[in-house]
Every structure is written in C-alpha cells, then in structure tokens.
Amino acid sequence: MSEGQELNMAPKYNPIEVEKDRYQYWVDGKFFEAKNDESKEPFTVVIPPPNVTGRLHLGHAWDTTLQDIITRYKRMQGYDVLWLPGMDHAGIATQAKVEGKLKEEGKTRHDLGREGFLQQSWDWKEEYASFIRSQWEKLGLGVDYSRERFTLDEGLSNAVREVFVSLYEQGLIYRGQYIINWDPSTQTALSDIEVIYKEVQGAFYHMKYPLKDGSGHIEVATTRPETMLGDTAVAVHPEDERYNHLIGQKVILPIIGREMEIVGDEYVDMEFGSGAVKITPAHDPNDFEIGERHDLERVLVMHENGTMNENAAQYDGMDRFECRKQIVKDLQEQSVLFDIEEHVHQVGHSERSDAVVEPYLSTQWFVNMKPLADQAIALQETEDKVDFVPDRFEKTYLHWMENIRDWCISRQLWWGHRIPAWYHKETGELYVGRAEPSDKENWVQDEDVLDTWFSSALWPFSTMGWPDEESYDLNRYFPTDVLVTGYDIIFFWVSRMIFQTKHFMDSRPFKDVLIHGLVRDAEGRKMSKSLGNGVDPMDVIDQYGADSLRYFLATGSSPGQDLRFHWEKVEATWNFANKIWNASRFVIMNLDGFQYEDIDLSGEKSVADEWILTRLNETIEQVTHNIDRYDFGEAGRQLYNFIWDEFCDWYIEMAKLPLYGDDEKAKITTKSVLVKTLDDILRMLHPFMPFITEEIWQHIPHEGESITVKAWPQVDSTYNNQQSRAEMERLVSIIRSVRNVRAEVDTPMSKEIKIAIKAQSEDVVKELVRNQVYLERFCNPEELTIKTDLKVPEQAKSAVVTGAEIYFPLEGLIDIDEEITRLREELNKWNSEVERVQKKLANENFVNKAPEAVVQEERDKEKDYLEKQKAVEARIAELENVR
C-alpha cells in the first residue's frame, strides 16, 4: 500500500467516528502552523476575535468556516499561510457577565474591590476561552495556535498604550466635556454604534414658555419633558419672520423660573413644528453644539444612575421616567402644557443592558476623528485601497467615515485596558505616558478603561508584534490578505481597523474584506433568545457532523446576503457526504492492491474515461475561479453536480464494465482514472469538508502525510477531449430518454424493449456504434438499430436528442393521441427556445459586444434547437398520418 494508506474503510458513513481524533492529528502534525518559509508567498488572515462572554453561535460558525475554506485552499495552493487566532476581552459585555454571576452569589464588584474583581474576570476568560477552543476544534478550524493572542495580553496591551499615548501626543486624543451616550444601568459611556434604536410609543409634549415682558409666549415641544429643567435658551431661525424680532429677548422657564435668552441659530428648521426649539445643552448633542455657539450655560439635571439631581428642584431623587409623569401632570395644571401628540419614534437603547440611553454631558476621553477619517477615505482612492466584497459595502463604509463624529473611548468599567493617564493628587496636573509617573504615590491613575473596540481596532498589526518594528511576523505576514466579517460590524470594527492601521502602519490592514450577512431562521427572522429560534452549531455537529454544517453554511448564501438556516438542508448535505462515502468505498473495494505508483493514464481510454477527465478539468477551473472570487455557493454547486451527477451516477456505473471485464489494460486505466478523479475531488472538497476528505484520502492510494498539505488540483490540458465530452453527453441523453420512456409506459429496466435510433449523420452512427456497449448495458434493448435512413415505426414513442431521434416500437403500449399531445408540448418548448435564442442573436448590442465565444455558443444552440424543432414537427406529422 502507499504511504499512510489504510486498509479498512467503515461500511457506513458515521460523521462522529470520522471526525473523532482527526483534529488532534492535524494539530500534532503542525499542519496549520505558518512555516516562515521564505521560498513561499505569505498569506495571512486574522480571525475576528470572538468575545470571551460565552459559547460561539451559528454566526461565528459561518464566519470561521469561510475563513477556514480560504486558508485551507491557499495552503494547498502553496502559500505560507498564517491564520492567526485570538479572542477579545469584550469590555462591558464580559464585565456584565461576571457581575451577573456575582449577583447570584449576593455580591457586587465593589465587595471584591478592583483587583479581586479583575481576578474573577480572568477566571471567567480562561473558562470561556477553553470552550471557544473546543468549538474551534469541533468545527475543524485550521488556526495556528502557536500564535494565539488575546486583546488583554501583555503584547497587545503594550500596543494599546503606545497608540493611546501617540495619539495624545499628536493632539488626536483629548479629554473634555461633551454630550455622550450614557447607559444609566451599567453607568458607563457608550459609543454611537453601541446604541441600538428601537421604535417606541411616545409623544410630543407641546408647551408655552412665557415671554418675560408679559407680551405673550413662545411655543416649543419635546419628547423628554424631564429634561426641560435643564433648558438654558430657546432658539429660532434668524430669518424666520415670525420670531426674528424676539431674538435677544427673555423667556421664563416654567417650574424653575429661570430667565433664558431667545437666540437665533441657522440649525433651527423653520418648517418643523412651531419653528422654535428649547435648548438643553447638557442633555442633547445638537443643543450642546448650539450652546457652544452661543456660550450657553450647561445645566445637568440627572445623576449617572438615571435619577433626577438637585438641579431638578422638587423632582430631586425621582427616577427620570417617574419625573416625566409628574412633570407632565404639573405642567398641565399650570396650563403650560397644552397638547400631547402621540408619536412613535426611534429611541436609543444600550446594546448591552437594553436600558434607554440618555444623552448626557460628561467628561470623557475622545479621539479627534476627522484627520484619521480623512486618511482612511483618501486610502480608498489609491491602488492600495481595501477591496470590499461585495463592492456595494464600500459606499456604506465611506458614508459613515465621511459623517463621523469624535469617538468617545473612555468607559466607566474595571475590565479592560486602563487609560494610561494620571492626575497629581495636589495640583490636579494631568500626565499621559507609556510608563507610570516615577513618584507614583503622588499620582492617581484614571479609573476608566478604554472602549473594547480601541484595542480590537489594532488587531491586524498588534497581533504581529507591533510596536516592535523588528518583529519577524510583522515584517513577513503584515498586511493581511483578507478579513471575513458580517455587515453588522463594518462601523464597529472594519472602519476602525482601517483608519488605525493607515495612521500607524501607513498601510491598509487587509487587501480584501469579505462581507457576509446574518444567519436567520427558516422564516427569515433574526435568531434571538426571546424568539427561542436560536440553533447551537454544536448541536448540529452532534447530529450531522461538522462537514455537513460547514458545507451548508459555505454554500447556502452569496457574498453579502443573509443565510436562512434549514435543518432539511443540513440533512441534504449529510446525504451528499454519504454519497461521497459510498462512491469512495466502491472505488477502494475495486482496487485489488492497486497502488499510487500503479497510476497510468497513458493507455487507451474509453469515451467515459476521456469525458470524466475533461469534466474534471472544467470543474477544477470553475471551482478555482469561484473560490478566488469568494463565491463559495457557486463553487459548491459546481462540485456537487460533478461529484453526484457525473462521477457517482454516471462514471462509476460505466467504470463497472471494464472493472468486471477481462481486459487487464482497461482495468488499469479505469482504476487510474477512478483514483485520479477521486483524489482531485477530495482535494477540491477538502476546504469545505475537511474531515471526510482526509478520512477517505487516507484510504486511497496517495503520497504524503495529510490532504491538508497536498497541492490544489491543476488543470491538465492533455486530458481535455471535447469530442468525447460531446459523445458522452449524447449517450447520457439517450440513456435518460430511454429511462424516461420506460417510466411513462411503466416498463421496468429488467424488461427488454426494441430501440431504434435515427442518426442525423454517418458520423453520429459511427459514434453510437463505437459506444454501443454503454447503450446495451444501460438501455437493455431486445434489439438496437442505429441508422441514418431508418424507417420510422408507425406506432412508437419517440424522443429527440442532439443529433438523433430515438424510437420505441411499443405496439399496444401507447395511445397515439396521447403521444401527439406530448409531442406538441415538446414542440412548444423548442419553439420557445428558438424564439429566445433568435431574439438574442438579433440584438446588435449582444452580437457586437459579447465575447465571440459566447456569441458562438448561442449560434450553436440555435442550430441545435432548430434541428430538434424540425424533428418533432416531422414526427407529429407522421403520427397524424397514421391516425
């Protein structure tokens, strides 16, 4: 036997047995480790690091399966592949999980103190990181564990500190008061993209603010009456003739009695509402900007936990929503509130806690985004741009970058990268640095940590050893080649990696970014705990195996589109794997000691041999092309059709003739073709279904340790034979026609029938006679006649194939009227095809602009359809004469 070839293959496909222990074999063999082989071109992918908050879901399985396909494919193509794994500390998400666990024990993080809480968080991380690794193993992911990273490990922490300090020194990080998104539940700031907007039934509350001089009032409206207590102005458009005479005058804030100025600002929309807007600079981002322009006081009326503070007068201590109810009641009693207009509007909720987010004036750390965004936008105008797949997502990315606001990066948490800023205990002086102050007893470090996206934005280069510019991995494997991720985190992550990498590495982080959608249930709904429609990928694997899940995930959608999960489709992929297993067992059982060294394709080949090798070449070309363009669905379809329809259903059946015959040379050729074709099939299928392909490959004659490091199949033009391809397609059409006719008249294959074939030329006659052995084997004729001048039987069923007509003299088994009806339906089909192709060929744009080969293909179709149309018309006429 050949190297590594095993003797016995289980009679039935059992994915659990096939997949057991195989992953460890790959890891022990170090097949997934980047080799630093400078004779090979590097190819790099960094895994989108999953959060250490729990187990992986179907979206992770989909995302990582696509990456595994790409990296296995590139490894087989001869690249030095690095697929770098890692995980994300996930900041607020992980802290919430740990605090939830403590709550169950009747504790809070404050009971443990910062250090004790962080130790609990590290314990949580270790527990869930091991879960995630076990899931990677179950999925068969070929990651390089020797380079695994974590966003809070020492190296990445150094990178985060270097970036923070550098941006601060460049004036791109600053600390200041600004309106931020505040989560009163977790009591931390949120970035814009951590806010989820939901439709909520609310209201517009219309109020009258009296003018100080007693001459009247001005009408304003709000959806948040509780914030009116922080109003410090009313704004109108300076060109609004209704109000511009009031600019500079005073109004009185109801309840509080505060005098406020009426200011003119072009931000105000004269067409909306009354055209007058109450200004609350400490509780609204647009009002904050107006307040900056007019030097307005900022009055904060809430505590960080969402209760009203001392500036809220008699409402001090009330929950913000209770305050809303009470203040509405009080304003109605004072006749200030004159109308409540029901209104459904979008309200921001915390992505993590689901609390209603409060726009809130706070002192936070920010990144000045415009210079960074401008660099990233300019990058997309160069040859070294990031290519989005599908390219429509580039517009989504650019729109966000062009309209970006400064990024609030501080979070009021304990778990994360603590901000490298210190305040002098006596003077209040601020120090930002790469190292602690030397006299650290006089300094206190900022309590806040950085937004988790700050560290993950550095992932493509921090994981390679940066800021050590001498790092071997950084110089060899950066920039990366492709990022695979969902469209839902283009803003969260993709954009931030691009601008941070451009700024610090003067490079794009990756050449391509492949965007996929979301996994939805069979009805198209997003999977969620509330709907109870989630599916654990590990449950799918336990039932059908990783290969079936992977193949379904990879081929069930096109780039950028959502994927609907169907158990039936996973089962269908299991059936596909089972088909491959059974076909492979047939090949192996008929090799009779045949070894890799015995492969010999130089002998005389049958039409079936030449056809399958030609189709193998075409399939290699098509699959390679589609994987290169990330169209895994089309690549999978081409593989499926070739394996199931052509190799299993046709070639293997035809191979039985020489295998069970007496011609030893034909046996060797057939075995050689079987092994060659199966070997290339397994290699093409390997990135999609790694376990079953490795298992089968180890049983067939082969060279090498593992299919994971075998070369990707190459097109061999010496095996291209278009004549044999055409001959085989005609044979298949004839055999299918015979089977169809037998089914129509309920005549089993075991019963011999007379078959007459009228060929359109002597060449077709010679071809069919040459391949008569297949017609006899698969059509089971009592008598087979092949002629050009055939006398057509009067009472017979018929079928038309390219280049020939087939007749079945079945006296007493057919109804002539029914046969004429069937033929007229067939004629309608050919009439439609002729009309379609002739319309296409009459289109000058198509004829002049399409490639000549494409135009010629349509002309060939026209000729074929016209021949079939003519043959059916003639047969109808013959039968009508008989009738």
Side-chain angles (χ1 to χ4, degrees):
M1 305 297 284
S2 302
E3 178 188 341
Q5 188 176 340
E6 299 171 8
L7 294 172
N8 299 311
M9 187 169 161
K12 291 188 177 179
Y13 171 55
N14 181 339
I16 306 305
E17 286 301 312
V18 167
E19 295 172 11
K20 184 179 67 175
D21 301 329
R22 183 59 72 186
Y23 191 79
Q24 195 59 48
Y25 167 75
W26 289 328
V27 172
D28 290 345
K30 300 185 177 180
F31 299 126
F32 301 144
E33 291 188 11
K35 304 303 183 189
N36 304 339
D37 183 349
E38 299 196 7
S39 68
K40 294 182 176 182
E41 187 177 343
F43 185 90
T44 312
V45 174
V46 290
I47 202 168
N51 295 342
V52 287
T53 48
R55 300 169 191 264
L56 304 182
H57 53 65
L58 264 179
H60 290 117
W62 185 17
D63 189 84
T64 51
T65 292
L66 298 182
Q67 294 169 69
D68 197 44
I69 289 171
I70 293 167
T71 51
R72 284 180 184 269
Y73 167 68
K74 287 296 181 180
R75 192 178 293 114
M76 296 176 79
Q77 283 192 319
Y79 288 84
D80 177 20
V81 172
L82 169 59
W83 185 16
L84 189 147
M87 301 176 205
D88 197 330
H89 69 278
I92 188 172
T94 302
Q95 178 153 326
K97 292 280 189 181
V98 178
E99 289 198 78
K101 182 184 174 186
L102 289 174
K103 188 176 181 181
E104 291 174 2
E105 300 169 3
K107 299 176 185 176
T108 71
R109 61 178 160 133
H110 300 287
D111 294 328
L112 275 67
R114 188 165 193 143
E115 291 307 313
F117 179 77
L118 290 178
Q119 186 55 56
Q120 290 269 330
S121 301
W122 277 105
D123 292 345
W124 175 282
K125 177 263 175 186
E126 290 303 325
E127 180 182 357
Y128 280 89
S130 66
F131 286 149
I132 290 168
R133 288 189 203 99
S134 69
Q135 290 178 301
W136 286 347
E137 175 180 347
K138 215 166 178 181
L139 276 164
L141 306 184
V143 294
D144 184 347
Y145 288 107
S146 71
R147 289 172 165 88
E148 183 181 338
R149 304 306 300 267
F150 179 57
T151 49
L152 271 177
D153 69 28
E154 184 179 358
L156 270 67
S157 295
N158 290 339
V160 167
R161 180 169 289 197
E162 178 62 32
V163 165
F164 184 96
V165 175
S166 296
L167 290 175
Y168 179 79
E169 291 172 346
Q170 295 162 27
L172 294 174
I173 280 183
Y174 63 93
R175 187 170 184 260
Q177 271 201 330
Y178 205 77
I179 294 287
I180 48 91
N181 303 298
W182 184 260
D183 180 345
S185 175
T186 59
Q187 295 189 42
T188 184
L190 303 173
S191 65
D192 290 347
I193 50 181
E194 290 173 303
V195 179
I196 307 297
Y197 287 89
K198 301 179 183 180
E199 282 194 350
V200 172
Q201 179 64 54
F204 273 120
Y205 299 89
H206 296 270
M207 299 177 286
K208 298 175 182 178
Y209 282 11
L211 295 168
K212 180 185 176 184
D213 64 8
S215 62
H217 62 265
I218 194 163
E219 292 180 10
V220 295
T222 182
T223 58
R224 298 155 64 215
E226 67 277 10
T227 64
M228 69 166 285
L229 305 170
D231 287 0
T232 56
V234 170
V236 297
H237 196 283
E239 296 177 7
D240 192 332
E241 294 179 355
R242 294 171 294 176
Y243 302 122
N244 54 12
H245 67 285
L246 295 176
I247 293 173
Q249 292 194 34
K250 303 284 186 179
V251 294
I252 304 298
L253 178 63
I255 296 178
I256 300 293
R258 181 187 303 130
E259 290 186 10
M260 305 186 300
E261 188 174 343
I262 299 173
V263 299
D265 197 283
E266 292 184 352
Y267 169 79
V268 179
D269 182 355
M270 290 186 284
E271 306 299 321
F272 184 76
S274 67
V277 182
K278 57 188 282 306
I279 304 302
T280 322
H283 289 276
D284 182 277
N286 296 313
D287 293 3
F288 178 85
E289 298 293 345
I290 293 172
E292 287 284 280
R293 289 193 287 273
H294 298 277
D295 197 25
L296 299 177
E297 184 184 2
R298 304 166 184 167
V299 178
L300 200 61
V301 298
M302 281 182 208
H303 294 294
E304 291 180 349
N305 64 0
T307 59
M308 308 306 289
N309 67 14
E310 64 279 5
N311 292 326
Q314 64 262 41
Y315 309 103
D316 184 9
M318 293 182 72
D319 174 79
R320 55 184 168 153
F321 298 120
E322 287 301 314
C323 174
R324 178 180 299 180
K325 293 176 186 175
Q326 186 60 48
I327 207 168
V328 165
K329 183 179 177 182
D330 293 348
L331 290 169
Q332 285 175 318
E333 289 177 357
Q334 296 175 21
S335 300
V336 171
L337 178 62
F338 67 91
D339 186 28
I340 300 175
E341 178 189 352
E342 294 294 314
H343 172 63
V344 175
H345 60 145
Q346 297 283 328
V347 175
H349 289 68
S350 169
E351 182 193 31
R352 300 302 180 188
S353 70
D354 201 41
V356 173
V357 167
E358 197 66 45
Y360 195 77
L361 183 67
S362 179
T363 300
Q364 301 285 343
W365 289 92
F366 297 87
V367 175
N368 177 4
M369 282 305 307
K370 182 139 191 349
L372 297 171
D374 287 346
Q375 289 177 352
I377 292 166
L379 175 67
Q380 293 307 100
E381 297 169 359
T382 70
E383 289 183 0
D384 292 326
K385 63 181 283 192
V386 174
D387 291 317
F388 284 77
V389 183
D391 59 8
R392 68 178 183 272
F393 287 105
E394 182 177 11
K395 292 180 182 176
T396 305
Y397 159 76
L398 286 173
H399 178 76
W400 189 73
M401 293 298 281
E402 288 161 357
N403 295 277
I404 201 163
R405 292 171 53 183
D406 283 0
W407 175 17
C408 176
I409 55 172
S410 45
R411 297 290 180 272
Q412 289 64 55
L413 305 170
W414 286 354
W415 175 245
H417 292 98
R418 197 164 173 182
I419 290 174
W422 288 261
Y423 308 96
H424 197 279
K425 292 177 181 177
E426 294 179 2
T427 66
E429 177 190 351
L430 171 64
Y431 163 74
V432 173
R434 294 166 181 82
E436 292 181 310
S438 54
D439 56 337
K440 57 185 179 182
E441 64 274 4
N442 292 318
W443 295 80
V444 60
Q445 187 173 358
D446 196 306
E447 290 287 321
D448 291 351
V449 301
L450 289 164
D451 177 10
T452 185
W453 297 105
F454 192 91
S455 53
S456 55
L458 317 179
W459 191 249
F461 58 93
S462 63
T463 53
M464 304 285 180
W466 189 90
D468 176 9
E469 295 183 356
E470 301 301 315
S471 163
Y472 180 86
D473 280 2
L474 185 68
N475 286 285
R476 175 155 178 78
Y477 297 107
F478 177 86
T480 68
D481 288 274
V482 59
L483 174 80
V484 181
T485 193
Y487 59 61
D488 54 328
I489 59 171
I490 291 175
F491 307 141
F492 281 96
W493 191 42
V494 176
S495 59
R496 288 174 172 164
M497 284 190 286
I498 294 173
F499 70 67
Q500 290 286 45
T501 306
K502 175 59 182 170
H503 188 73
F504 284 96
M505 304 299 293
D506 193 25
S507 165
R508 58 186 174 188
F510 23 76
K511 179 181 179 295
D512 298 333
V513 53
L514 172 60
I515 304 291
H516 59 74
L518 303 177
V519 182
R520 299 184 179 274
D521 69 10
E523 297 174 29
R525 300 174 302 175
K526 189 174 180 179
M527 290 186 172
S528 67
K529 288 181 181 178
S530 59
L531 290 174
N533 61 346
V535 175
D536 186 335
M538 300 303 114
D539 291 343
V540 183
I541 292 172
D542 287 342
Q543 190 166 349
Y544 291 106
D547 285 331
S548 295
L549 174 62
R550 287 169 59 108
Y551 192 84
F552 161 73
L553 292 172
T555 62
S557 172
S558 56
Q561 300 300 312
D562 289 344
L563 171 70
R564 291 194 180 192
F565 182 86
H566 295 269
W567 281 102
E568 299 83 359
K569 290 186 177 180
V570 179
E571 184 175 4
T573 63
W574 181 92
N575 288 332
F576 178 45
N578 195 53
K579 181 87 167 181
I580 296 163
W581 185 268
N582 291 335
S584 301
R585 282 196 78 242
F586 168 81
V587 173
I588 292 163
M589 289 169 62
N590 284 279
L591 291 179
D592 297 325
F594 186 87
Q595 298 188 37
Y596 185 81
E597 297 76 17
D598 298 328
I599 294 175
D600 182 3
L601 293 168
S602 63
E604 184 179 349
K605 300 178 191 70
S606 68
V607 66
D609 296 333
E610 291 177 336
W611 164 74
I612 199 68
L613 291 173
T614 301
R615 285 294 300 126
L616 176 63
N617 267 339
E618 292 170 349
T619 304
I620 291 169
E621 187 173 18
Q622 291 160 348
V623 171
T624 303
H625 171 72
N626 283 299
I627 293 180
D628 282 341
R629 59 200 288 265
Y630 306 117
D631 193 343
F632 305 114
E634 181 59 21
R637 189 186 70 80
Q638 296 282 356
L639 266 174
Y640 183 97
N641 291 343
F642 177 70
I643 294 168
W644 190 299
D645 296 339
E646 296 176 316
F647 183 66
C648 295
D649 283 358
W650 287 103
Y651 182 72
I652 283 181
E653 289 305 309
M654 291 181 166
K656 290 176 181 178
L657 296 177
L659 286 177
Y660 300 159
D662 299 324
D663 187 334
E664 292 303 319
K665 287 185 178 179
K667 284 185 182 181
I668 290 172
T669 298
T670 302
K671 290 176 183 178
S672 298
V673 173
L674 281 167
V675 172
K676 153 77 176 165
T677 306
L678 181 55
D679 187 7
D680 281 357
I681 282 172
L682 294 172
R683 295 191 205 194
M684 282 189 284
L685 195 59
H686 177 70
F688 296 85
M689 299 174 120
F691 292 103
I692 190 173
T693 52
E694 179 77 90
E695 181 73 12
I696 296 170
W697 189 82
Q698 292 290 351
H699 285 81
I700 67 171
H702 66 268
E703 282 186 330
E705 288 183 83
S706 170
I707 195 173
T708 59
V709 288
K710 291 303 292 182
W712 183 255
Q714 298 296 309
V715 171
D716 188 338
S717 58
T718 60
Y719 298 135
N720 280 347
N721 190 317
Q722 292 304 312
Q723 181 181 338
S724 292
R725 186 184 193 277
E727 286 185 21
M728 186 66 180
E729 287 175 354
R730 196 178 342 262
L731 285 171
V732 167
S733 296
I734 291 170
I735 295 166
R736 280 184 173 146
S737 296
V738 171
R739 289 173 176 173
N740 290 340
V741 167
R742 282 179 174 275
E744 286 171 14
V745 296
D746 197 22
T747 303
M749 284 299 300
S750 57
K751 181 178 179 180
E752 294 181 342
I753 59 172
K754 291 181 181 179
I755 300 172
I757 301 175
K758 182 180 180 181
Q760 291 181 356
S761 69
E762 287 298 331
D763 286 342
V764 174
V765 171
K766 290 175 184 176
E767 170 196 313
L768 294 178
V769 170
R770 185 166 63 246
N771 296 308
Q772 191 166 331
V773 63
Y774 296 116
L775 296 174
E776 291 173 346
R777 167 65 180 82
F778 295 105
C779 297
N780 194 20
E782 174 189 344
E783 179 183 304
L784 178 62
T785 306
I786 305 170
K787 292 182 178 181
T788 56
D789 57 349
L790 182 75
K791 184 180 179 183
V792 177
E794 289 185 350
Q795 291 210 9
K797 288 191 74 68
S798 63
V800 179
V801 300
T802 302
E805 301 154 43
I806 314 162
Y807 297 95
F808 309 87
L810 301 173
E811 294 85 352
L813 292 179
I814 67 164
D815 181 303
I816 289 179
D817 289 339
E818 285 183 5
E819 180 64 2
I820 289 173
T821 300
R822 185 189 70 79
L823 286 168
R824 282 179 175 155
E825 289 176 0
E826 186 176 351
L827 181 60
N828 288 337
K829 182 182 94 170
W830 297 124
N831 288 341
S832 297
E833 291 294 341
V834 168
E835 182 182 358
R836 183 193 63 77
V837 75
Q838 288 182 339
K839 187 176 180 181
K840 198 169 188 179
L841 289 169
N843 184 334
E844 290 185 7
N845 274 340
F846 170 72
V847 174
N848 295 330
K849 293 182 180 179
E852 180 56 36
V854 174
V855 176
Q856 186 57 50
E857 185 179 353
E858 293 301 312
R859 288 183 177 132
D860 292 342
K861 286 180 185 177
E862 180 189 29
K863 181 182 176 184
D864 183 34
Y865 298 157
L866 285 168
E867 287 174 356
K868 289 173 177 174
Q869 181 190 53
K870 184 179 177 182
V872 174
E873 285 173 342
R875 182 58 182 158
I876 291 171
E878 289 170 0
L879 288 177
E880 285 179 336
N881 286 335
V882 172
R883 188 173 60 177

